[in-house]
Amino acid sequence: MVNEPRVTVWNEFRHEMRNPAVEKIYPKGIHQAIASHLQGQGIPTRTATLEEPEHGLTDAVLAETDVLTWWGHMAHGEVKDAVVDRVYQRVLEGMGLIVLHSGHFSKIFKKLMGTSCDLLWREAGEKERIWVIEPGHPIAAGLGPYFEIPRTEMYGERFDIPAPDTLVFLSWFAGGEVFRSGCCYQRGKGKIFYFRPGHETFPIYHQPEVLQVITNAVRWAAPVPGTPVSFGNRPQPLEKLGGE
Ligand code: ZN
């Protein structure tokens, strides 16, 4: 049996509570749509939301999380800095992080990127064609040369991020803009993947290709047993120093 990563799906969970159109698409929340798909793939998955104590991301939960997925939009500012710092440390230690759609403006993504993470956007319900530009990458496994989202919000360049270590997907929109929609990074020992699709007023987290990418991404971002790391003063050299 494959050793699957332990995943925590985090969601702000506000739009679903306040906008009936969003609630209709995600009656149990965006987090449950993603989590139930991952569970169906045999990936042990829990959820956490903004309103829970410590946003559901206690030390104990994060210690048992190999990969965290993040969806937020209208309440980025309500996420406590102490929780952001805790997630940040876990990423440096090796926890994977999948940042979804409007999570580009989350505190944790901006802290990890070090840039504004700003972009162009338009809500016109237009088509998006997502091109796979690294077909050998594990996050693209099982996809064709491209897939399409029939109606979505547009995100356009410039996307103010550092150049990705690997760019897996590039989006084209019916209105003419393009966008780097699948971006891989490493920070410390942790892998980070930004994935653009997921606007809350369209059923995007019910689309098979989108769920396939999220499944691939959590497996890709899982920590691997690495070399132990030490920092600080090292008074004892490995070799004898100085003349005899
Ligand atoms: Zn959106």
Side-chain angles (χ1 to χ4, degrees), residues 70-147:
W70 194 279
W71 197 100
H73 183 216
M74 63 192 287
H76 292 314
E78 294 177 42
V79 178
K80 292 194 189 85
D81 291 338
V83 174
V84 175
D85 290 345
R86 191 182 293 159
V87 172
Y88 179 82
Q89 281 305 323
R90 281 287 293 130
V91 171
L92 298 186
E93 290 165 12
M95 183 182 75
L97 179 69
I98 313 300
V99 177
L100 297 168
H101 187 60
S102 41
H104 72 90
F105 258 165
S106 62
K107 287 183 180 179
I108 183 60
F109 190 60
K110 290 197 289 187
K111 185 177 173 82
L112 285 160
M113 296 296 107
T115 55
S116 76
C117 301
D118 211 344
L119 47 75
L120 291 174
W121 59 278
R122 172 173 60 237
E123 253 188 285
E126 66 204 86
K127 182 167 84 175
E128 175 180 10
R129 182 175 297 137
I130 301 177
W131 289 93
V132 176
I133 60 171
E134 287 297 343
H137 197 280
I139 292 177
L143 301 173
Y146 64 84
F147 63 97

Side-chain angles (χ1 to χ4, degrees), residues 73 101-102 153 155 199-200:
H73 183 216
H101 187 60
S102 41
E153 175 188 27
Y155 277 4
H199 188 62
E200 68 277 1

